[in-house]
């Protein structure tokens, strides 16, 4: 039955889901019409909100481009490629490859979501080179699906925000420690149940040999390594200098060592993840020119991010500035009880995440609305916080925003993976809903 369901969604998505760029444009139109119909804002006022919002997440877009580029460049170094090749040699068939990638990304995403996204794409590429008759799209989808737990892990932006001084609703809740959110028994049960069971789901969805779509070998071709020049000049000597490269890498190591000594390993911001990828890549490529060439290759997959992220900034501008996101959140609150409130907060978060796929942006929208309503009903604020966080991570499975870095490395389109991700949406939604009601 699961196999038949997955084939249904794969076929449906292939026929009707537009390119991720057009998907963002359609969401723009939907949010615009919704704001016009429900908020009382004028036509030009909403146009202004959209235009102002276009540039609201440019810094974040640059971070995501650097995650893709530095992660890809790191993976193309000989030591990392050797390690990934070793891992990719373990599975003997496509089902095992999907299980490995899903579990590896789930564990990686629990510790840091940015790292998890990169791991999913890089390991999928190596698995495709090693495992015969493997459905590449399924394995890439399995990697992206492991990301569905990221907000229940230690890099979850919303639970980390409420654990910090000066957060958005501190006057109502005080500081909410991570022991009440990320490290609560109920969150760990929900999160690790998903991590452990999702690989089994992908095993059951594995296509038969006759249905497998073998990867196009052109997608996996790596550029040939250029040999050092025979006739050295000062310029070529500098470009191929291991000493200069290692001195520069040492600066980064010293900075990171000092950072982790002062802040611990649990405080991994996105910038620090990029820094780790960058410095590790510099060192492992041995010479400056090798790293330059690796980055030149990696940047080719960043077009989707550069084109589409500003569109989501515009959508977020409409949703937040017009008050449309607040209307959606309040509608779910209107029929909630103390028992069902965390569940309907989760559903509201899932809907809003389609239009505001940034965790920080979603918290700005939902936090000031759902936290006071939950307190009025007598609901533990920590559960409300995680309800919002779960909603944010849940519908990422049918929202291309976060898939773009992974797809850029894997060299696939959103239609290739989204059918399988619909099954992840259903399964993870059942687990998170049951957990919010019963645990």
């Amino acid at each position: 039955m699961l196999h038949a369901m997955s084939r249904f969604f794969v076929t449906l998505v292939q026929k009707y889901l537009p390119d991720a760029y057009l998907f963002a444009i359609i969401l723009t139109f939907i949010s615009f019409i919704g704001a016009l119909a429900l908020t009382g804002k004028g036509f030009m006022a909403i146009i202004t909100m959209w235009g102002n919002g276009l540039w609201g997440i440019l810094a974040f877009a640059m971070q995501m481009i650097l995650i893709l580029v530095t992660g890809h460049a790191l993976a193309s170094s000989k030591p990392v490629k050797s390690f990934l090749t070793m891992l990719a040699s373990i599975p003997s068939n496509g089902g095992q490859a999907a299980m490995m990638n899903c579990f590896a990304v789930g564990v990686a995403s629990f510790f840091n979501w940015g790292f998890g996204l990169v791991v999913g794409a890089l390991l999928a590429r190596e698995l495709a080179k090693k495992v015969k008759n493997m459905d590449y799209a399924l394995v890439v989808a399995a990697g992206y699906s492991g990301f569905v737990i990221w907000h229940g892990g230690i890099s979850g932006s919303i639970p980390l925000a409420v654990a910090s001084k000066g957060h958005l609703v501190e006057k109502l809740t005080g500081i909410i420690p991570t022991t009440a959110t990320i490290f609560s028994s109920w969150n760990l049960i929900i999160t690790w149940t998903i991590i452990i069971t999702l690989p089994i789901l992908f095993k059951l969805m594995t296509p038969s040999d006759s249905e497998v779509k073998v990867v196009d070998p052109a997608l996996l071709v790596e550029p040939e390594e250029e040999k050092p020049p025979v006739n050295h000049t000062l310029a070529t000597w500098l470009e191929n200098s291991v000493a200069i490269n290692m001195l520069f890498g040492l600066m980064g190591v010293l900075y990171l060592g000092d950072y982790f000594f002062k802040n611990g390993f649990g405080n991994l911001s996105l910038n620090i993840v990029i820094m780790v990828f960058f410095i590790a890549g510099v060192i492992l490529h041995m010479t400056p020119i090798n790293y330059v060439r690796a980055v030149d290759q990696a940047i080719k997959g960043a077009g989707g991010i550069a084109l589409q992220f500003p569109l989501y900034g515009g959508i977020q501008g409409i949703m937040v500035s017009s008050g449309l996101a607040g209307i959606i959140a309040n509608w779910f609150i209107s029929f909630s009880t103390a028992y069902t409130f965390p569940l309907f907060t989760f559903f509201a978060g899932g809907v809003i995440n389609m239009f505001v796929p940034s965790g920080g942006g979603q918290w700005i929208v939902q936090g000031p609305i759902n936290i006071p309503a939950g307190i009025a009903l007598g609901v533990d604020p920590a559960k409300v916080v995680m309800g919002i966080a779960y909603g944010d991570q849940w519908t990422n499975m049918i929202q291309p925003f976060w898939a773009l870095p992974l797809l850029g490395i894997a060299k696939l389109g959103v239609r290739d993976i989204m059918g399988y991700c619909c099954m992840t949406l259903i399964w993870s939604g059942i687990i998170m809903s049951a957990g919010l009601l019963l645990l």
Side-chain angles (χ1 to χ4, degrees):
M1 183 181 72
L2 289 174
H3 176 71
M5 283 180 65
S6 67
R7 300 317 300 170
F8 168 76
F9 283 119
V10 168
T11 302
L12 191 70
V13 165
Q14 287 287 346
K15 285 184 177 180
Y16 298 111
L17 184 69
D19 180 82
Y21 172 65
L22 285 170
F23 186 85
I25 291 176
I26 290 169
L27 286 180
T28 301
F29 292 157
I30 292 172
S31 61
F32 186 93
I33 293 168
L36 196 63
L38 300 175
T39 67
K41 305 294 184 181
F43 183 91
M44 284 309 301
I46 300 173
I47 289 286
T48 301
M49 295 171 193
W50 170 75
N52 290 341
L54 282 173
W55 321 118
I57 59 172
L58 285 185
F60 181 66
M62 186 61 182
Q63 286 177 317
M64 294 310 298
I65 288 173
L66 288 174
I67 276 282
L68 185 156
V69 170
T70 56
H72 194 179
L74 172 61
S76 67
S77 66
K78 288 182 180 179
V80 174
K81 284 176 70 174
S82 298
F83 177 70
L84 291 174
T85 300
M86 180 195 71
L87 286 180
S89 301
I90 297 173
S92 59
N93 56 56
Q96 292 177 6
M99 293 180 75
M100 169 181 274
N101 205 25
C102 188
F103 183 74
V105 176
V107 174
S109 296
F110 181 81
F111 291 100
N112 185 269
W113 62 265
F115 183 62
L117 278 179
V118 173
V119 165
L122 299 177
L123 184 54
R125 287 175 62 89
E126 292 304 316
L127 286 164
K129 297 174 186 176
K130 288 290 184 180
V131 181
K132 294 181 179 180
N133 206 33
M134 183 194 90
D135 195 297
Y136 185 52
L138 174 79
V139 175
V140 174
Y144 184 57
S145 293
F147 175 66
V148 76
I149 58 85
W150 81 274
H151 236 140
I154 60 177
S155 65
S157 58
I158 294 176
L160 289 180
V162 298
S164 306
K165 291 183 179 180
H167 70 79
L168 203 57
V169 291
E170 183 181 3
K171 291 182 179 179
L172 293 173
T173 65
I175 301 297
I176 302 176
T178 54
T179 52
T181 53
I182 295 170
F183 296 109
S184 65
S185 59
W186 50 272
N187 174 64
L188 292 175
I189 290 171
I190 292 169
T191 298
W192 283 94
T193 297
I194 294 173
I195 292 174
I196 292 167
T197 59
L198 263 186
I200 299 171
L201 177 70
F202 272 86
K203 173 67 174 176
L204 296 174
M205 289 194 295
T206 303
S208 62
D209 289 345
S210 62
E211 296 173 315
V212 167
K213 293 183 179 179
V214 180
V215 62
D216 180 356
L219 298 179
L220 305 177
V221 171
E222 302 289 350
E224 292 185 10
E225 186 175 344
E226 295 188 33
K227 296 179 180 179
V230 177
N231 298 318
H232 282 288
T233 65
L234 177 61
T236 58
W237 181 84
L238 291 171
E239 289 172 350
N240 291 278
S241 171
V242 175
I244 289 176
N245 195 66
M246 293 306 167
L247 282 173
F248 180 64
L250 179 62
M251 290 177 63
V253 170
L254 292 173
Y255 171 81
L256 290 171
D258 181 65
Y259 176 87
F260 288 123
F261 178 77
K262 293 176 179 176
N263 299 281
F265 287 93
N267 191 16
L268 273 175
S269 68
L270 191 53
N271 288 340
I272 291 298
V273 173
I274 294 169
M275 184 73 168
V276 169
F277 286 174
F278 171 51
I279 295 302
V282 165
I283 293 172
L284 294 180
H285 276 284
M286 299 299 292
T287 69
I289 196 64
N290 283 347
Y291 192 69
V292 169
R293 290 168 183 153
V295 169
D296 284 344
Q297 287 298 318
I299 198 69
K300 294 175 182 178
I305 299 174
L307 177 63
Q308 294 166 46
F309 270 44
L311 297 186
Y312 284 104
I315 294 168
Q316 181 170 301
I318 293 174
M319 294 291 292
V320 175
S321 300
S322 72
L324 180 58
I327 290 172
I328 295 171
N330 279 315
W331 182 74
F332 279 95
I333 290 170
S334 67
F335 48 79
S336 297
T337 65
Y339 178 65
T340 62
F341 188 79
L343 178 65
F344 286 123
T345 294
F346 163 59
F347 289 153
V351 173
I352 293 171
N353 179 62
M354 293 296 295
F355 301 90
V356 187
S358 161
Q362 181 145 353
W363 173 243
I364 290 171
V365 170
Q366 267 190 279
I369 297 171
N370 285 76
I371 291 294
I375 291 173
L377 289 171
V379 181
D380 180 0
K383 292 183 179 179
V384 180
V385 166
M386 293 309 293
I388 297 171
Y390 289 162
D392 174 75
Q393 68 186 13
W394 180 44
T395 48
N396 284 336
M397 293 300 102
I398 53 172
Q399 160 54 271
F401 183 86
W402 291 106
L404 293 175
L406 175 139
L407 292 172
I409 297 173
K411 297 184 180 179
L412 289 182
V414 66
R415 276 194 296 265
D416 296 312
I417 70 167
M418 208 55 73
Y420 296 114
C421 292
C422 288
M423 295 294 292
T424 303
L425 179 88
I426 294 170
W427 180 244
S428 62
I430 291 171
I431 294 173
M432 285 184 274
S433 297
L436 287 169
L437 282 176
L438 303 176
L439 292 179

